[in-house]
Amino acid sequence: NHILHNHIIINKVNLQTGKKLDERKGSAVERARNANDEISKEQGWKVIEPVREHQSRTEQDLTKKGQYSYMHDLRGRIDTTMQDTSICDFKTFSDVLARSGVNVSVRGQNVSYAFLDANKKQRRARGKRLGTDYEKETILNELERRTRERTAQQLDREDQSRATELVRETTSTDTALEQRERQAQSRKPRIDQLRNAVKPIADHLQHFTGAVREFAGKVEQRVIDSKLYKDVASRFKADLAKQEQARQNAIKQDLAKRMAPKKQPQQPQRSYYREPEGRSR
């Protein structure tokens, strides 16, 4: 019963550059397998469906007879857990499965399941024995796919929300601008009317301001030419000259005091004691 098939092998190291392939495990093989299946369909060849469940002869006999199979029971519990699309990581998967009575243990790349069957008998089975869908790598790939899909959906929702908010803000801004433009257009005749009414007043005020400045200039010149102004100015200059002379005199006096020689203190006179003549010591 041999069926024509391909064995696809991906070399992780580039033989020319020596660089290692950086990818999610199995993604390169998955792309090559999909390309192989597409070519097979184009050529009219049958695409081999992967074997998802490995049933022993005993399990097959029990299934045909409609009797209880703990392997079928275990697969059902795992399938029910995986149907919950909110599960996106292996820890959550293990915790939810434990609530249904199945304990998950991982050793390296292998995963095994232990539980009490319907006959209260302790059972244990490896994922490889159950089938491809129950192996660690397959479950991790599915959980990673869900995580990527959920992240993409979240980003899409955020982008849509931002786009909606931007459209709302833009629409609100446009509406506000249109309202202001309409208000400005409605006020324009009134503004033009007020401008025309104010213009003569502004011209009159400008003429009046010029006349006031001319009058002020004449008054200032008349004051400067008056005898009172000249007397006050001469007195002010005389007061300034006196103050300057007094300041110069004070500076000279202070300088003279500083330059005067200092007196030397007198030394006290010494007294000498003289012994009387003829007195022996």
Side-chain angles (χ1 to χ4, degrees), residues 167-184:
V167 171
R168 186 182 298 110
E169 292 178 357
T170 304
T171 304
S172 177
T173 303
D174 293 341
T175 304
L177 291 175
E178 291 176 357
Q179 291 178 353
R180 291 180 182 178
E181 186 175 357
R182 287 195 297 269
Q183 292 176 358

Side-chain angles (χ1 to χ4, degrees), residues 10-243:
I10 303 296
N11 189 17
K12 298 284 284 188
V13 180
N14 191 313
L15 299 180
Q16 295 180 353
T17 63
K19 293 184 178 180
K20 184 180 178 182
L21 179 65
D22 185 13
E23 59 149 3
R24 177 179 59 82
K25 186 174 181 180
S27 62
V29 174
E30 183 178 354
R31 291 196 301 270
R33 182 186 294 120
N34 293 334
N36 177 83
D37 293 344
E38 291 296 328
I39 295 173
S40 299
K41 292 177 182 179
E42 292 175 0
Q43 298 296 325
W45 300 335
K46 180 181 178 182
V47 178
I48 303 174
E49 296 294 333
V51 179
R52 296 300 181 183
E53 295 183 5
H54 298 293
Q55 293 186 358
S56 63
R57 182 58 59 88
T58 303
E59 185 180 357
Q60 293 177 6
D61 294 340
L62 291 173
T63 303
K64 290 179 181 179
K65 295 178 182 179
Q67 297 180 2
Y68 173 78
S69 169
Y70 77 90
M71 295 288 283
H72 181 73
D73 184 8
L74 180 56
R75 290 192 192 94
R77 299 189 190 190
I78 299 173
D79 291 341
T80 302
T81 302
M82 288 299 293
Q83 287 174 2
D84 185 358
T85 57
S86 64
I87 299 175
C88 296
D89 60 90
F90 196 81
K91 184 179 183 304
T92 305
F93 166 76
S94 301
D95 294 342
V96 174
L97 201 56
R99 289 199 289 269
S100 65
V102 180
N103 295 323
V104 183
S105 59
V106 178
R107 291 183 180 179
Q109 298 298 324
N110 299 321
V111 60
S112 62
Y113 308 90
F115 77 113
L116 287 176
D117 65 5
N119 299 321
K120 303 300 180 180
K121 188 175 182 179
Q122 184 69 37
R123 300 288 187 177
R124 179 181 294 274
R126 291 183 301 173
K128 187 174 182 180
R129 184 182 172 192
L130 291 171
T132 307
D133 288 347
Y134 308 94
E135 295 181 8
K136 178 184 176 183
E137 182 178 352
T138 305
I139 294 175
L140 288 178
N141 290 339
E142 172 62 20
L143 296 177
E144 290 176 3
R145 184 194 65 78
R146 293 181 182 182
T147 301
R148 292 193 302 270
E149 183 176 324
R150 174 171 294 187
T151 303
Q153 292 176 353
Q154 180 66 24
L155 292 176
D156 290 341
R157 286 194 295 269
E158 292 178 357
D159 292 340
Q160 292 177 1
S161 177
R162 284 195 293 267
T164 304
E165 185 65 24
L166 181 60
V167 171
R168 186 182 298 110
E169 292 178 357
T170 304
T171 304
S172 177
T173 303
D174 293 341
T175 304
L177 291 175
E178 291 176 357
Q179 291 178 353
R180 291 180 182 178
E181 186 175 357
R182 287 195 297 269
Q183 292 176 358
Q185 292 295 334
S186 63
R187 293 174 182 174
K188 189 175 184 303
R190 179 59 177 170
I191 294 174
D192 293 339
Q193 184 180 0
L194 291 175
R195 185 182 292 111
N196 295 330
V198 170
K199 188 175 185 303
I201 300 175
D203 295 339
H204 179 71
L205 288 175
Q206 186 175 3
H207 177 72
F208 178 76
T209 303
V212 170
R213 288 178 180 175
E214 184 179 358
F215 177 76
K218 292 180 179 181
V219 172
E220 182 181 1
Q221 188 64 38
R222 183 70 61 85
V223 171
I224 293 173
D225 295 339
S226 65
K227 184 176 181 301
L228 178 62
Y229 178 81
K230 292 179 180 179
D231 292 342
V232 172
S234 61
R235 290 179 184 178
F236 181 72
K237 290 180 180 179
D239 291 341
L240 287 179
K242 290 180 181 180
Q243 291 179 4

